[in-house]
Amino acid sequence: MLARRRICIAASTSSVSTRLIGVGHNSNSNYNRLSLSEINDVNSKYRRQFHSSTVVSKDDYPVHTVLPFPALSPTMETGTIANWELSEGDEFSAGSVLCSIETDKATMDYEAQDDGFIAKILRDGPDASDLPIGTPIAIVVEELEDVAAFADYVVLEDEGNAGVGDVSASSADAPIAPTSGSTTAAPVAGGDSGTSFLLPSARFLAESKGLDATGLKGSGKGGRVTKGDVLAAIRDGTPMPALAIPTGPVVDLPLPEVDTYGTYEDVPNNNMRKIVAKRLTFSKQEVPCTYTSMEVELDNVMKLRKQLLKDHDIKVSVNDIVVRCSAMALRDVPEANGSYDPKTDTVKLQDSIDISIAVAIPNGLITPIVMNTDKLGLTEISDKVRDLAGRARDGKLAPEEYTGGTFCISNLGMFGIDEFTAIVNPPQAAILAVGGGVKRIVPTPYVDGAEEQAKPTIKTIMTARLSSDRRVIDEATASLFLLAFKHYINKPELLLL
Amino acid sequence: MFSTKFAVNSLQRNRSTAWRSFSKTTATFADQYDVVIVGGGPGGYVAAIKSAQLGMKTACVEMRGRLGGTCLNVGCIPSKALLQSSHHYHDAKHHFADHGIVFDGDLSMDIDKMQDTKSKTVEGLTGGIEYLLKKYGVDYVKGKGKITGPNGVEVALTDGGSESLDTKNIIIASGSEVTPLPPVPVDNAGGKVVDSTGALEIGTIPKKMAVVGGGVIGLEMGSVWSRLGAEVTVIEFLDRILPMNDTEVAKKFQTILKKQGFKFNLKTKVVKSVVEDDGVVLTTEPSKGGDAKEEKFDVVLVSTGRRPYTEGLGLEDVGIQTDKLGRIEVDSHFKTAVPSIFAIGDAISGPMLAHKAEEEGIACVETIAGFAGHVCYDAIPGVVYTYPEVADVGKTEEELKEAGIAYNVGNFPFAANSRARANGSADGFVKVLADKETDKILGVHIIGPNAGEMIAEAVIAIEYGASSEDMARTCHAHPTLSEAFKEACMDTYDQPIHF
């Protein structure tokens, strides 16, 4: 019977999957990702790099400590090593400065905690820019003899690049970064890309999530992957690799000759400018701002200054007086001294009046704070501001001196600006922008029934514009503040009260 | 006494030796067959052709005198021919004017010609099957077959005499017959109380026709004569027509039939019938019992069901069991209690459909040939060839509810389908049932023009385990009726565009 059978193909409709294994079955990870086992293995060299603890030598290296890039301020996420104060082989003791680190706000010294010798500097020069916190920057040893052993020490490739977690994070955590495009539902710890056929809905679902579902076992006829299979895989956390975006042939197009208007130069932003840019963008996007202006008369202030200088040899700037008037105004209108907390949608009225003064420095702008301004006299304010501005220009401000503040003042009078608008610095609620004094002809009040109206006078007028966070300060409060401010600055003798 | 016992014993001994010699195959006849198929209907002849294509020596035994079984001779084909003719007439009479076709006088129907065309169609097809059997080298044995043993079929030839077939395997494909309804005995020759066979031969259009049994056959035959002018009353024991279909579909279809002029007496049973010269008087009662009613009809069609036909096959002698409905008991590979005897089609359990028998025939033969034959019973469509047609595949809503399966429903009416509207016939809708979690299509139900063709797409979807989104993401030509299926699928997993 069988001998006479012609060759036939079984017309089976069984749904046993007969997935081909061949092209695309790639078990080699292209993804530069460390596997969990590699990271968690105590003996693994990867694990060692993520600690800053002293390790007993496992490889050929003697006992040493890997120094991680430190977080010098609570908000610091990245920074640059501006300069190494020591070289390899140098000895240091607790308190010596190892290197200077440039942050978003200032340049600071990184001081050693213990005594030791620098065995190897891992990050220097161009390698030392924009380092995330925790990046290993140096190897230190306790004995001079051990220094030589690290002469050829090379940082392993994945170290700097594989998003090292915060030093503050638990050392047992293994960072597994999700690929771009995958949702939180799909862990992507290296699955297989296979050759299963995807039904249209399965393909749509997987690809919309940036996943490659061809490695799944399909429950459809002939092993086809169905929508249900993909849904189940996502729900159960079955690994699916990221969708490989096919890159077409790279075409080397000749760049066209661009006839630009003259030459130009790209100036990269330093850290400070980057932070300023980020924060002010946030301010403009998230903070609803209102602007209220008031013109004030500076004549009495000028008289007072002249008097102080002539009679008492005391130098007080217009800005110092502006600061003191603002402090008094804030004392009188405490609603203007507030802050908005977006997390809880509440307005907090601050206890103290700490005024930040905007200071232009060579690499950007910084706002050092005069604490408890309302309790300081004019000379104290003057001294403080001078000291802060000086140190700001030298980049020697401590973090607590420029972080915080409840109110900000920006004065562009010295540049000849008549009036301008400043941008609120959250979480502060307001910023006062004052221009310079401008001599103007001001009419005197009309007296009804007078024989002759008084002649107009010339006054020095300064425009003060308050930019305020509308969530905290409404227009009435802003007006009240400016009225108070004008009240004091028009008649500075009131500052005595 | 003593001698009788002795005779019986020796008979038994002889019988057993006879059996043994049979299986050793020194048969007097031509070579032993690999497969002998008893029955030449859709199950039988398809199995025969497939068997021969697979290289097996095959014989097909048929007693009717023509191949094609019930389907070709007194079932599917003639009814579809009549349905087509009557549909043309009805369309011409009632809808041609809409298309601007004007004719003088009245349209009339020549029943004889209609029957003649039907007969020619049937003849052509049955002749075609004979030709196919010859083409593929199947031995067509005309006569009534009887199984004489695990490897023997005895045929009482139509032309006289008998033939013994020695075979390795036997496939029973003897089909089914009309189930009689005792209060209404069928007399096809008399032409007043008929079954489906007789209904196909009606010579004059009845004025009043009763259809006892609101299933597929009754509704189809009722449709034929209703279109030609008869007043058709459907008498059904249950509270609904089409008991195997989805309830919503059955209800909506009943409304459509009512619009076409059908009358329905549901929850009614027939208790008596009296044949008179000019008609039949039926006495009916509510199904649960109650007051009797009498009504006179010109013709009564009895279509309360069909039952397997295994008479004279000799099943008991070989030890093959049938259940209380008369169906031969088989395992999942169509094997009966006797390893070399198989059974398929209407003779076993499952929907009594020609295409189901065909699938089983092929699967059975493939199993015999050593392959993995398989029938997917979840993906067998059912069609009612009325107008509009009713087609379905997979589960009904009731079945899903009973099984506790959570599902989504998608609906799309043909009134919103451009092609149906352009054709001027937009009755009906498409309903898709899909698993709530995985969106896998579990059932599709269609009332509409061409539903029988459209359902094929749904069958493929179910076979391939597709989800409604897959079908929705498949391009369908425009303007076609099949777009209604696509849109119903869109409604299932998301939203339709055209409704």
Side-chain angles (χ1 to χ4, degrees), chain A residues 76 118 209 245 314 320 340-341 395 399 401:
Chain A
M76 181 176 162
I118 295 195
K209 294 191 187 297
I245 298 148
I314 290 177
D320 300 328
Y340 189 77
D341 183 4
E401 287 177 316

Side-chain angles (χ1 to χ4, degrees), chain B residues 99-234:
Chain B
H99 295 275
I101 303 168
V102 183
F103 40 81
D104 292 326
D106 224 0
L107 264 191
S108 61
M109 192 67 186
D110 181 355
I111 302 292
D112 291 334
K113 180 79 177 135
M114 178 177 82
Q115 296 287 17
D116 196 39
T117 305
K118 174 207 80 180
S119 304
K120 282 212 179 64
T121 309
V122 171
E123 260 171 54
L125 284 170
T126 56
I129 306 291
E130 249 190 82
Y131 159 74
L132 286 173
L133 288 195
K134 207 190 317 209
K135 173 177 170 183
Y136 287 102
V138 176
D139 289 342
Y140 173 24
V141 184
K142 294 185 190 168
K144 188 167 161 78
K146 178 184 157 104
I147 298 173
T148 52
N151 301 101
V153 175
E154 180 91 26
V155 183
L157 297 168
T158 322
D159 291 338
S162 74
E163 197 173 319
S164 277
L165 303 175
D166 183 30
T167 171
K168 290 211 179 84
N169 299 285
I170 301 170
I171 301 181
I172 301 171
S174 49
S176 58
E177 59 176 3
V178 176
T179 310
L181 186 66
V184 198
V186 167
D187 173 22
N188 280 329
K192 295 210 171 49
V193 180
V194 296
D195 61 15
S196 52
T197 310
L200 293 165
E201 301 298 330
I202 292 174
T204 36
I205 304 170
K207 277 202 213 54
K208 279 185 72 174
M209 180 175 180
V211 171
V212 183
V216 178
I217 295 171
L219 296 179
E220 284 183 9
M221 295 315 303
S223 271
V224 171
W225 299 105
S226 162
R227 291 172 196 167
L228 296 179
E231 183 194 285
V232 175
T233 305
V234 175

Side-chain angles (χ1 to χ4, degrees), chain A residues 39-172:
Chain A
I39 291 164
N40 282 332
D41 176 22
V42 173
N43 294 338
S44 161
K45 52 182 179 276
Y46 296 104
R47 192 173 147 99
R48 198 187 307 136
Q49 308 309 336
F50 298 158
H51 295 202
S52 60
S53 54
T54 310
V55 294
V56 179
S57 72
K58 287 283 179 216
D59 295 330
D60 335 290
Y61 296 109
V63 173
H64 60 277
T65 303
V66 179
L67 278 189
F69 193 66
L72 296 178
S73 78
T75 57
M76 181 176 162
E77 288 166 20
T78 58
T80 302
I81 300 178
N83 185 37
W84 279 98
E85 302 294 329
L86 301 172
S87 327
E88 289 172 12
D90 284 351
E91 188 184 355
F92 58 87
S93 46
S96 342
V97 175
L98 298 172
C99 60
S100 54
I101 290 176
E102 189 191 311
T103 69
D104 50 343
K105 300 275 166 63
T107 306
M108 291 178 279
D109 295 330
Y110 177 33
E111 294 172 1
Q113 311 290 330
D114 293 308
D115 306 339
F117 295 85
I118 295 195
K120 182 89 178 160
I121 291 178
L122 301 172
R123 295 273 176 177
D124 200 4
D127 288 339
S129 302
D130 290 325
L131 298 175
I133 304 297
T135 314
I137 55 171
I139 309 279
V140 299
V141 292
E142 289 178 10
E143 308 294 328
L144 182 55
E145 310 83 72
D146 295 337
V147 170
F150 292 89
D152 299 319
Y153 187 91
V154 171
V155 173
L156 292 125
E157 255 184 49
D158 286 303
E159 270 178 337
N161 300 331
V164 179
D166 287 346
V167 172
S168 55
S170 128
S171 54

Side-chain angles (χ1 to χ4, degrees), chain A residues 60-345:
Chain A
D60 335 290
Y61 296 109
V63 173
H64 60 277
T65 303
V66 179
L67 278 189
F69 193 66
L72 296 178
S73 78
T75 57
M76 181 176 162
E77 288 166 20
T78 58
T80 302
I81 300 178
N83 185 37
W84 279 98
E85 302 294 329
L86 301 172
S87 327
E88 289 172 12
D90 284 351
E91 188 184 355
F92 58 87
S93 46
S96 342
V97 175
L98 298 172
C99 60
S100 54
I101 290 176
E102 189 191 311
T103 69
D104 50 343
K105 300 275 166 63
T107 306
M108 291 178 279
D109 295 330
Y110 177 33
E111 294 172 1
Q113 311 290 330
D114 293 308
D115 306 339
F117 295 85
I118 295 195
K120 182 89 178 160
I121 291 178
L122 301 172
R123 295 273 176 177
D124 200 4
D127 288 339
S129 302
D130 290 325
L131 298 175
I133 304 297
T135 314
I137 55 171
I139 309 279
V140 299
V141 292
E142 289 178 10
E143 308 294 328
L144 182 55
E145 310 83 72
D146 295 337
V147 170
F150 292 89
D152 299 319
Y153 187 91
V154 171
V155 173
L156 292 125
E157 255 184 49
D158 286 303
E159 270 178 337
N161 300 331
V164 179
D166 287 346
V167 172
S168 55
S170 128
S171 54
D173 284 349
I176 298 181
T179 56
S180 62
S182 73
T183 61
T184 50
V188 192
D192 288 338
S193 146
T195 50
S196 292
F197 180 85
L198 301 179
L199 288 175
S201 60
R203 187 191 321 126
F204 177 79
L205 182 61
E207 291 188 6
S208 297
K209 294 191 187 297
L211 300 170
D212 180 352
T214 54
L216 293 178
K217 192 167 194 301
S219 66
K221 183 166 174 144
R224 286 165 176 77
V225 175
T226 67
K227 181 169 161 182
D229 296 331
V230 177
L231 285 170
I234 290 174
R235 183 193 64 220
D236 299 336
T238 311
M240 281 186 278
L243 196 61
I245 298 148
T247 49
V250 178
V251 179
D252 208 1
L253 294 172
L255 291 173
E257 291 292 306
V258 178
D259 193 355
T260 48
Y261 215 57
T263 55
Y264 62 89
E265 185 189 319
D266 284 330
V267 178
N269 267 354
N270 64 14
N271 269 336
M272 175 173 295
R273 285 197 192 276
K274 281 187 195 155
I275 300 290
V276 165
K278 208 164 69 168
R279 297 197 61 249
L280 292 181
T281 307
F282 170 80
S283 172
K284 274 292 181 187
Q285 285 172 338
E286 299 293 323
V287 177
C289 234
T290 53
Y291 309 97
T292 10
S293 305
M294 182 78 88
E295 283 181 352
V296 300
E297 293 167 16
L298 282 186
D299 302 279
N300 292 335
V301 165
M302 307 307 260
K303 267 200 222 112
L304 174 65
R305 283 184 70 223
K306 249 204 208 91
Q307 192 178 7
L308 285 173
L309 182 63
K310 202 173 80 174
D311 295 347
H312 309 281
D313 202 23
I314 290 177
K315 280 209 190 79
V316 158
S317 71
V318 173
N319 196 49
D320 300 328
I321 298 176
V322 165
V323 170
R324 176 120 174 102
C325 292
S326 307
M328 294 294 104
L330 283 174
R331 185 194 60 183
D332 291 347
V333 186
E335 294 83 10
N337 190 37
S339 153
Y340 189 77
D341 183 4
K343 285 199 199 73
T344 54
D345 277 340

Side-chain angles (χ1 to χ4, degrees), chain B residues 299-310:
Chain B
V299 173
V300 173
L301 165 63
V302 177
S303 53
T304 49
R306 295 180 68 85
R307 62 183 182 188
Y309 178 77
T310 53

Side-chain angles (χ1 to χ4, degrees), chain B residues 313-462:
Chain B
L313 272 179
L315 296 179
E316 322 74 42
D317 296 336
V318 288
I320 293 177
Q321 305 297 329
T322 56
D323 65 13
K324 59 177 163 60
L325 293 173
R327 305 178 298 197
I328 299 173
E329 299 194 337
V330 293
D331 66 6
S332 57
H333 298 286
F334 310 108
K335 220 179 272 201
T336 63
V338 180
S340 60
I341 303 180
F342 301 79
I344 58 167
D346 282 3
I348 66 173
S349 69
M352 286 181 161
L353 298 168
H355 41 273
K356 173 253 195 190
E358 289 182 18
E359 293 293 309
E360 288 181 338
I362 292 184
C364 182
V365 157
E366 285 177 332
T367 305
I368 292 173
F371 299 106
H374 174 77
V375 177
C376 182
Y377 288 98
D378 291 328
I380 295 191
V383 187
V384 183
Y385 294 90
T386 49
Y387 194 88
E389 292 178 5
V390 181
D392 72 289
V393 65
K395 305 269 185 246
T396 64
E397 277 200 65
E398 294 74 47
E399 283 172 336
L400 291 178
K401 282 199 185 104
E402 212 180 289
I405 298 174
Y407 61 93
N408 286 331
V409 188
N411 269 293
F412 190 81
F414 279 101
N417 176 273
S418 336
R419 188 69 195 275
R421 294 287 290 272
N423 285 351
S425 106
D427 271 335
F429 69 111
V430 178
K431 178 159 92 164
V432 174
L433 306 171
D435 184 278
K436 207 179 195 87
E437 203 188 301
T438 63
D439 195 32
K440 185 170 159 174
I441 294 181
L442 302 172
V444 177
H445 305 268
I446 307 177
I447 303 179
N450 234 17
E453 304 282 354
M454 268 179 70
I455 202 71
E457 190 182 352
V459 178
I460 292 182
I462 290 185

